[in-house]
C-alpha cells in the first residue's frame, strides 16, 4: 500500500520529481562542467541580454543579441549611451558601425567588450594559469545563478568570478578583482530573454553586405622581440608596428594573452620615438614605463604592476 501511495504522489507531482532530479544533477556538476555548459550556451542559444558594464568610475549600458541564422552565428552589440556605436558579427567577421567614420570589418571569433572571448571557446587553455572553484548561489536579474571562481595559480594575475544562470546556462555576471579585493571590472545582466528564434535584427544583419575585411598585409611586421620570462599561460598573439597615442611615430607593439587577460607592450628606442611623459590609464589598468638597455618599454594590462615590470625587464631582441 505504501508503494502504491508513493507512486500516486509521483504521478500527481511529476514536475517536483523532475526538479529534484535536476537539482541533484546540478549539485554533482564540477566548476569546469558549469563553465563548459556556459561556453556551449553562449555559442548555441538564441537570446537577448541587457547588461551594465562597470569599469572603475565608468558605467556603460549595452544590449547584446545572439542567435543562429542560416547555420551561422550572428551577434549584435549596441552601446546605449553616447554617440551611436554598434558592432555586428556574422560567423567570423565583425563589423564596427560608428556615427563619425565609415563602417569597417575585421576577422574575429567574437565581439570584444562583452564577456571574455575565452568563455565561448575552449576553456581548457585557462587551466595552465587558473583553477576553477565552485562557489555559492545567488539571485541576479531575478534568476538563480551558480558562481564559479577563476583563481590564479600565482600572484601574476587577478582573480575572476562568474555567475551562470541555472536555467539557460548563460552568464549573468562577471567580476575581476585585484589582490586588495577591489573590483576592477564588472559585467552584470539586468534582463535576460531566451528567444525561440533569432531576433529580426540578426536576420537582417546576416542578409546585409558587410564592408570587406581590412587587409592584414597592411600591418608592418615587427622586429624579433622575445621575452625570457612570461607568466604561465601567457603567449604572444600579435607582434608588429603600432602607433601609440601621444606619439607621432610608430613603435614596436606586442600583444600578450593568457586567454582571459590581455597585455600590451610598446617598445621604442631611446631618442627615436620617445614615449609620452604621461599615459592616461583607466578601467583598472596597470601601467609601467621601464628602460631596458637602449629601449624604453611601456606595458599596460589588467594585471599587477609587478607582473608588467618583470615582463618588461625580460624583453630581449633576437
Amino acid at each position: 500500500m505504501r508503494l502504491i501511495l508513493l507512486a500516486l504522489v509521483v504521478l500527481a507531482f511529476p514536475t517536483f520529481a523532475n526538479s529534484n532530479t535536476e537539482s541533484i544533477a546540478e549539485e554533482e556538476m564540477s566548476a569546469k562542467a558549469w563553465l563548459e555548459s556556459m561556453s556551449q550556451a553562449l555559442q548555441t542559444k538564441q537570446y537577448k541580454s541587457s547588461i551594465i558594464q562597470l569599469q572603475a568610475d565608468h558605467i556603460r549600458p549595452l544590449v547584446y543579441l545572439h542567435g543562429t541564422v542560416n547555420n551561422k552565428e550572428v551577434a549584435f552589440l549596441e552601446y546605449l549611451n553616447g554617440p551611436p556605436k554598434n558592432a555586428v558579427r556574422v560567423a567570423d567577421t565583425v563589423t564596427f558601425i560608428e556615427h563619425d567614420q565609415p563602417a569597417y570589418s575585421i576577422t574575429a571569433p567574437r565581439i570584444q567588450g562583452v564577456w571574455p572571448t575565452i568563455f565561448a571557446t575552449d576553456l581548457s587553455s585557462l587551466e595552465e594559469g587558473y583553477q576553477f572553484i565552485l562557489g555559492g548561489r545567488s539571485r541576479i536579474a531575478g534568476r538563480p545563478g551558480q558562481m564559479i571562481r577563476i583563481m590564479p595559480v600565482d600572484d601574476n594575475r587577478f582573480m575572476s568570478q562568474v555567475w551562470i544562470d541555472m536555467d539557460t546556462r548563460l552568464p549573468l555576471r562577471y567580476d575581476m578583482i585585484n589582490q586588495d579585493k577591489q573590483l576592477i571590472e564588472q559585467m552584470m545582466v539586468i534582463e535576460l530573454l531566451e528567444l525561440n528564434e533569432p531576433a529580426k535584427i540578426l536576420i537582417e544583419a546576416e542578409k546585409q553586405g558587410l564592408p570587406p575585411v581590412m587587409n592584414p598585409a597592411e600591418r608592418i611586421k615587427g622586429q624579433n622581440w622575445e621575452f625570457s620570462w612570461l607568466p604561465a599561460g601567457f603567449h604572444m598573439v600579435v607582434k608588429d608596428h603600432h602607433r601609440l597615442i601621444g606619439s607621432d611615430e610608430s613603435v614596436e607593439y606586442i600583444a600578450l594573452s593568457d586567454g582571459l587577460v590581455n597585455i600590451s607592450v610598446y617598445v621604442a628606442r631611446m631618442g627615436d620615438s620617445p614615449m609620452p611623459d604621461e599615459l592616461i590609464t583607466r578601467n583598472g589598468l596597470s601601467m609601467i614605463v621601464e628602460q631596458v638597455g637602449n629601449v624604453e618599454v611601456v606595458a599596460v594590462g589588467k594585471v599587477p604592476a609587478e607582473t608588467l615590470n618583470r615582463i618588461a625587464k625580460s624583453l630581449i631582441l633576437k
Side-chain angles (χ1 to χ4, degrees):
M1 179 61 73
R2 293 178 63 189
L3 290 175
I4 294 173
L5 289 172
L6 179 59
L8 289 172
V9 169
V10 172
L11 287 171
F13 302 100
T15 55
F16 174 82
N18 291 341
S19 175
N20 188 54
T21 302
E22 290 174 3
S23 177
I24 292 172
E26 288 170 349
E27 292 291 346
E28 294 174 351
M29 287 179 64
S30 67
K32 185 177 180 181
W34 276 101
L35 291 173
E36 288 173 340
S37 67
M38 176 189 68
S39 177
Q40 182 70 11
L42 282 169
Q43 298 175 68
T44 60
K45 295 278 188 180
Q46 319 261 15
Y47 61 93
K48 175 182 178 181
S49 291
S50 298
I51 302 170
I52 295 293
Q53 181 185 48
L54 175 64
Q55 293 181 321
D57 59 349
H58 185 70
I59 298 175
R60 175 184 293 164
L62 50 90
V63 172
Y64 182 75
L65 295 103
H66 179 273
T68 302
V69 182
N70 292 329
N71 297 318
K72 300 175 193 172
E73 270 192 79
V74 184
F76 177 79
L77 175 65
E78 180 181 12
Y79 294 93
L80 299 181
N81 283 0
K85 180 180 178 183
N86 305 323
V88 179
R89 179 171 74 88
V90 178
D92 288 333
T93 299
V94 176
T95 301
F96 298 94
I97 306 166
E98 301 183 28
H99 78 292
D100 58 350
Q101 62 181 2
Y104 64 95
S105 300
I106 63 171
T107 298
R110 299 281 141 190
I111 298 175
Q112 296 281 350
V114 195
W115 310 110
T117 301
I118 193 71
F119 280 3
T121 57
D122 182 9
L123 289 156
S124 61
S125 61
L126 285 180
E127 293 182 289
E128 190 174 355
Y130 302 88
Q131 57 181 331
F132 311 136
I133 299 174
L134 205 60
R137 294 176 178 176
S138 59
R139 188 166 169 266
I140 299 169
R143 310 174 72 99
Q146 171 66 57
M147 191 256 276
I148 306 297
R149 290 189 175 92
I150 305 174
M151 303 293 295
V153 298
D154 51 38
D155 294 329
N156 295 313
R157 67 204 95 199
F158 300 136
M159 71 163 286
S160 298
Q161 47 197 29
V162 58
W163 283 259
I164 301 171
D165 180 29
M166 296 178 67
D167 179 23
T168 64
R169 297 297 198 260
L170 291 165
L172 294 173
R173 174 177 163 183
Y174 171 73
D175 293 354
M176 180 179 284
I177 301 169
N178 68 15
Q179 293 161 327
D180 296 324
K181 309 299 183 185
Q182 295 173 329
L183 184 67
I184 294 176
E185 178 181 9
Q186 182 179 87
M187 300 284 292
M188 182 180 292
V189 170
I190 57 174
E191 184 182 40
L192 174 62
L193 299 175
E194 187 173 10
L195 309 175
N196 294 323
E197 57 186 20
K200 289 183 180 180
I201 195 169
L202 300 183
I203 297 173
E204 290 301 317
E206 194 273 337
K207 294 179 182 177
Q208 298 298 319
L210 301 176
V213 173
M214 295 176 64
N215 185 3
E218 295 174 359
R219 306 181 79 168
I220 304 172
K221 186 177 180 181
Q223 290 184 293
N224 194 22
W225 290 104
E226 294 186 7
F227 298 90
S228 61
W229 178 86
L230 287 175
F234 274 91
H235 61 279
M236 284 191 196
V237 292
V238 175
K239 182 167 57 174
D240 63 14
H241 284 280
H242 195 88
R243 190 172 300 280
L244 186 66
I245 295 174
S247 174
D248 292 333
E249 300 181 34
S250 64
V251 296
E252 296 287 333
Y253 169 69
I254 304 167
L256 308 171
S257 179
D258 69 351
L260 194 62
V261 177
N262 300 318
I263 295 174
S264 296
V265 180
Y266 304 90
V267 185
R269 295 194 177 278
M270 299 293 293
D272 288 350
S273 301
M275 299 291 185
D277 292 333
E278 291 187 14
L279 289 176
I280 299 174
T281 59
R282 300 177 59 186
N283 305 331
L285 290 169
S286 300
M287 185 273 290
I288 64 96
V289 181
E290 277 289 333
Q291 183 176 344
V292 180
N294 63 343
V295 298
E296 192 172 30
V297 181
V298 173
V300 182
K302 291 179 182 177
V303 296
E306 294 80 5
T307 301
L308 296 179
N309 191 62
R310 188 174 175 187
I311 288 173
K313 288 183 176 179
S314 75
L315 189 69
I316 54 175
L317 180 61
K318 287 195 172 182

